[in-house]
Amino acid sequence: MAPTYIHEQILELCSRLEKTYTPAVCDTLDEMGFMHQAMCSGFSPIIPQAAIAGPAFTMEEAKTRKSTRLKDYDPEFVAKVLADLFGTMQKGQVAVVNTNAIYGAGAWGELMSTTCKYYGGVKGAVVDGPIRDIGRILDIEFPVWARGNIPTDSIGRVDLVGIGGPIWCGGVRVNPGDIIFADCDGVVVIPVKDVDLKEVVEKAEEVVRLERRSREEIRQGKSLLDVYKKYGKL
């Protein structure tokens, strides 16, 4: 059983993760026997230089059974859905969205980004589907990783069917609270119930340190064999 940490400790460890990079974390998880924690290729960051790490806030969407225009929704129903959604978010989380392979509508947009950032304190989002309003999301500098873009609205096409439960995203099972680390190389999921988050962070930091040293010595013209023997990495 992996040790548990309070929210503030988790956020501190996540800030250290953000100073590493996803390949180092993937290599670390590989060594620990967790070799299937990287989401599949195709998740592109709208802010190329962004790097975020935080506990997963999970969401699940599904195709609408009966299309309804926004003006036809009961305002009290809409208010309750929004309160249930944003009222349970915690500062420093990363929203993770399973769209159930729906690519015909924007699964994420400007209003979700704005509310998550300024009301929920969420760091960013990872969306297993297309998004829209990219220009306006960039205006508020909210990092999103998504699998494409499309201008159509989700209203009448997609319903939010679940929050705070286990989901699949990018081929990886994501439980609420699992640590999501995303940068320009992709997205990795750290299963905090199975591994010690602090141990993962420390080992990833060591990988970064060794790779930096080996890189510097290669640039200095040192023998590749000597560098490999010294650091075990090239």
Side-chain angles (χ1 to χ4, degrees):
M1 189 77 176
T4 58
Y5 300 97
I6 63 173
H7 191 64
E8 290 73 16
Q9 291 173 316
I10 291 171
L11 295 186
E12 173 59 31
L13 289 169
C14 286
S15 70
R16 289 169 59 181
L17 268 182
E18 292 170 351
K19 295 179 176 66
T20 67
Y21 34 80
T22 55
V25 174
C26 283
D27 290 353
T28 296
L29 290 172
D30 283 353
E31 289 297 322
M32 299 174 74
F34 296 88
M35 303 186 68
H36 306 286
Q37 296 305 124
M39 292 189 187
C40 62
S41 63
F43 284 85
S44 299
I46 64 171
I47 304 175
Q49 69 275 20
I52 61 170
F57 180 89
T58 57
M59 304 168 58
E60 185 157 14
E61 299 179 353
K63 187 176 182 180
T64 296
R65 291 180 177 177
K66 181 181 178 182
S67 296
T68 305
R69 292 172 297 180
L70 180 60
K71 67 178 183 178
D72 296 326
Y73 278 95
D74 179 352
E76 291 186 5
F77 170 77
V78 173
K80 183 180 185 307
V81 170
L82 294 177
D84 289 345
L85 174 59
F86 298 113
T88 54
M89 291 178 172
Q90 287 184 290
K91 179 181 178 181
Q93 288 184 311
V94 176
V96 186
V97 184
N98 172 25
T99 67
N100 283 297
I102 296 172
Y103 292 95
W108 192 274
E110 172 195 5
L111 293 180
M112 286 293 293
S113 298
T114 300
T115 310
C116 281
K117 178 175 180 175
Y118 294 103
Y119 182 80
V122 170
K123 281 186 174 183
V126 175
V127 182
D128 197 353
I131 62 172
R132 70 177 203 159
D133 303 326
I134 294 175
R136 287 170 294 286
I137 297 174
L138 289 171
D139 286 342
I140 64 169
E141 298 181 339
F142 185 78
V144 181
W145 282 253
R147 298 183 68 186
N149 50 279
I150 194 170
T152 52
D153 195 359
S154 61
I155 298 296
R157 299 181 176 91
V158 177
D159 289 334
L160 178 64
V161 297
I163 58 173
I167 63 171
W168 287 87
C169 187
V172 180
R173 184 180 175 90
V174 181
N175 290 307
D178 282 348
I179 300 303
I180 306 298
F181 181 24
D183 63 12
C184 59
D185 282 309
V187 185
V188 61
V189 181
I190 302 175
V192 293
K193 291 184 179 179
D194 299 316
V195 298
D196 181 350
L197 176 60
K198 183 179 180 182
E199 181 183 3
V200 173
V201 172
E202 290 174 345
K203 288 187 174 182
E205 290 173 335
E206 178 66 6
V207 169
V208 171
R209 186 184 69 82
L210 293 177
E211 288 185 347
R212 183 180 296 118
R213 287 191 175 182
S214 64
R215 189 184 311 119
E216 290 172 353
E217 294 195 12
I218 290 171
R219 288 174 178 174
Q220 294 168 6
K222 299 290 180 65
S223 161
L224 293 179
L225 180 58
D226 289 344
V227 171
Y228 183 76
K229 286 182 177 180
K230 187 174 182 180
Y231 298 111
K233 288 184 173 292
L234 288 176

